[in-house]
Amino acid sequence: MSKRAIKEGVFWVGALHPDRKLFDALMPLPYGTTYNAYLIEGSEKTALIDTVDPDKMDDLFRNLEGVEKIDYIVCNHTEQDHSGAIPEVLGKYPDAKILCLQKTKEMLQDLVTVSDDRFQLVKDGEEVSLGNKTLRFLHLPWVHWPETTATYIPEDKLLFSCDLFGSHYSFGDELFAGDNPVVYKEAKEYYAEIMMLYAKVSVRHLDRLAELDIETICTSHGPVYDQPQKILDLYDDWMRGEPKNLALLAFVSTHGSTRIMAEYLAEKIEKQGVAVKLFDLVGLSLNDISSSLVDAATIVLGSSVVMAALHPCAVNTAFLIDRLKPKAKFAAVFGSYGWSPGPLKKAGELLPSLKVELLEPVVAKGHPKAEAFKELDALAKTIAAKHRAAGLL
Ligand code: FEO
């Protein structure tokens, strides 16, 4: 897509990357992604907000054709998918200065080559005039790096929110999100995988943004939000809301015994009135479980024992869950073993960062028998009772 107008004097000039498959060599991108850069033409000065991933630099320069002068490059975030083309943009526009925080300058100089004389430092809350438009800088640390900054233009009621509110969704010709459900589904996965880890410290930014009059949110990935309240409300729920009456039940089974336990437990939990999302971890990607992680009040992990340890699929999933820090309140482990129950009984130790109450594990020697089913019945009842006591059921 080529340069597109958002408001008078405000243009999207970024790049689409529909065929990118993975982000951070980890997150699948079923709809690709975009690197959003924005050109702001004030009556006196011109600013470029962020750049693009170096792989798509040619697209950025094509969108800047005919732009004779850029006075400022706003660096809202130093991660290379937004900052990677800054040296080349500085080369093309020799008078341009980078507007950013001191912290941003330090981080940017760690990542790309930029000399000291190309910076004009700003502070949190400071404003820089472009004539008829004003750039106001809001330091929003930990969405999802320490220097992350948003830029607000009060005259246009426009917020350039950096990675916050983003979605990995290459939008083709549809620059605006409208109420496209796929955008909000992708935004939720993006939140889970990128923002949720820091939600406890970054949730306060929602209050700061609530003080602004915002008509449009221009995020750094995915479509522009022309109905900003929708994504603001969703973030409020994801970050601040109570978890839902939902159990995420993810398992891996080598010879079927753990699968029998998983399917039995899922049915029993549902019979107790708790919704269940059941996932077989083999071949599953992070995207498949991330939305449920945002909502689930209980996380249940099932594994076989292989190589005298939990199955690597379960270990990997436990690691990701622990790092993403969902707001679940309860967790449990179950599974089948051949001769060593130890790894299953100690599986809770794989979730050291979660502030959850660990429920009694259920382990079965080989094929599950009456005793194991009885314990699974009890686990289902316990989960429902915990949800009820927490006011979720
Ligand atoms: Fe889209 Fe944190 O970079």
Side-chain angles (χ1 to χ4, degrees):
M1 192 177 80
S2 53
K3 181 177 177 182
R4 281 278 302 271
I6 295 170
K7 295 215 172 193
E8 195 178 338
V10 179
F11 304 90
W12 179 91
V13 291
L16 308 182
H17 200 162
D19 50 359
R20 184 164 175 175
K21 300 294 181 219
L22 276 180
F23 205 82
D24 287 348
L26 174 68
M27 303 158 201
L29 302 177
Y31 299 95
T33 192
T34 74
Y35 317 109
N36 297 338
Y38 301 95
L39 187 72
I40 319 297
E41 293 178 338
S43 56
E44 293 171 16
K45 303 216 164 164
T46 296
L48 176 69
I49 298 190
D50 292 316
T51 66
V52 299
D53 190 281
D55 280 353
K56 292 291 175 182
M57 202 164 353
D58 291 349
D59 290 19
L60 173 66
F61 283 119
R62 197 161 41 245
N63 286 334
L64 292 176
E65 273 172 17
V67 177
E68 300 290 324
K69 189 164 185 275
I70 288 178
D71 299 281
Y72 302 119
I73 302 166
V74 175
C75 182
N76 275 340
H77 181 25
T78 57
E79 195 164 8
Q80 293 94 321
D81 49 325
H82 310 294
S83 73
I86 282 181
E88 286 73 13
V89 176
L90 287 172
K92 182 171 179 193
Y93 297 97
D95 296 326
K97 296 276 188 194
I98 299 173
L99 290 176
C100 69
L101 309 174
Q102 171 68 32
K103 179 80 187 163
T104 309
K105 175 179 183 251
E106 291 162 14
M107 292 181 66
L108 189 63
Q109 289 185 311
D110 285 340
L111 298 171
V112 297
T113 305
V114 183
S115 58
D116 284 344
D117 63 323
R118 301 304 301 267
F119 288 91
Q120 179 176 324
L121 297 182
V122 294
K123 290 191 164 57
D124 178 40
E126 192 172 330
E127 294 185 340
V128 170
S129 175
L130 304 179
N132 62 343
K133 295 180 191 292
T134 308
L135 303 176
R136 186 187 302 164
F137 304 98
L138 309 169
H139 186 200
L140 307 181
W142 301 111
V143 296
H144 58 132
W145 280 21
E147 90 297 8
T148 38
T149 306
T151 302
Y152 178 63
I153 300 182
E155 294 86 352
D156 292 322
K157 302 177 182 175
L158 267 172
L159 180 74
F160 298 88
S161 63
C162 180
D163 278 342
L164 189 64
F165 309 128
S167 65
H168 286 310
Y169 183 81
S170 184
F171 44 73
D173 291 329
E174 300 293 322
L175 176 62
F176 295 99
D179 49 14
N180 181 350
V182 182
V183 175
Y184 295 95
K185 173 185 168 291
E186 290 303 307
K188 188 173 187 179
E189 290 173 10
Y190 182 99
Y191 166 77
E193 295 165 13
I194 294 176
M195 299 290 164
M196 186 162 68
L197 164 61
Y198 297 111
K200 277 204 168 84
V201 290
S202 57
V203 64
R204 64 198 155 104
H205 302 320
L206 297 184
D207 298 325
R208 190 172 186 196
L209 297 181
E211 294 169 6
L212 304 176
D213 190 359
I214 299 172
E215 272 184 4
T216 311
I217 294 178
C218 299
T219 177
S220 290
H221 294 284
V224 168
Y225 293 103
D226 47 348
Q227 300 170 19
Q229 200 55 48
K230 191 174 166 78
I231 191 71
L232 287 166
D233 288 345
L234 285 169
Y235 258 70
D236 195 75
D237 179 49
W238 298 339
M239 284 183 148
R240 215 177 332 235
E242 281 291 302
K244 308 288 187 282
N245 179 32
L246 172 71
L248 185 162
L249 202 165
F251 72 96
V252 54
S253 182
T254 50
H255 294 289
S257 296
T258 302
R259 174 183 298 279
I260 290 168
M261 297 174 78
E263 291 172 351
Y264 182 88
L265 180 60
E267 187 188 327
K268 293 297 174 183
I269 294 173
E270 278 184 336
K271 277 200 174 141
Q272 291 292 324
V274 177
V276 175
K277 292 269 189 179
L278 179 66
F279 298 100
D280 181 343
L281 289 170
V282 176
L284 221 61
S285 77
L286 178 58
N287 282 10
D288 295 312
I289 63 166
S290 57
S291 283
S292 300
L293 279 177
V294 176
D295 294 329
T298 296
I299 294 168
V300 190
L301 200 55
S303 179
S304 308
V305 175
V306 292
M307 298 175 278
L310 291 192
H311 193 287
C313 281
V315 174
N316 183 49
T317 301
F319 172 81
L320 289 171
I321 291 172
D322 188 66
R323 294 318 308 149
L324 295 180
K325 291 196 170 81
K327 58 190 174 190
K329 293 174 180 284
F330 314 103
V333 174
F334 68 93
S336 165
Y337 65 96
W339 53 89
S340 173
L344 281 165
K345 290 191 171 169
K346 290 194 287 187
E349 294 173 9
L350 295 172
L351 302 170
S353 304
L354 297 199
K355 302 274 184 287
V356 290
E357 179 183 345
L358 275 174
L359 309 178
E360 265 310 296
V362 178
V363 301
K365 192 166 195 300
H367 197 278
K369 301 171 189 67
E371 185 62 25
F373 289 121
K374 212 166 113 186
E375 289 180 25
L376 290 171
D377 287 339
L379 177 56
K381 283 182 185 161
T382 301
I383 289 169
K386 295 287 181 188
H387 282 212
R388 202 171 289 112
L392 305 173
L393 171 58

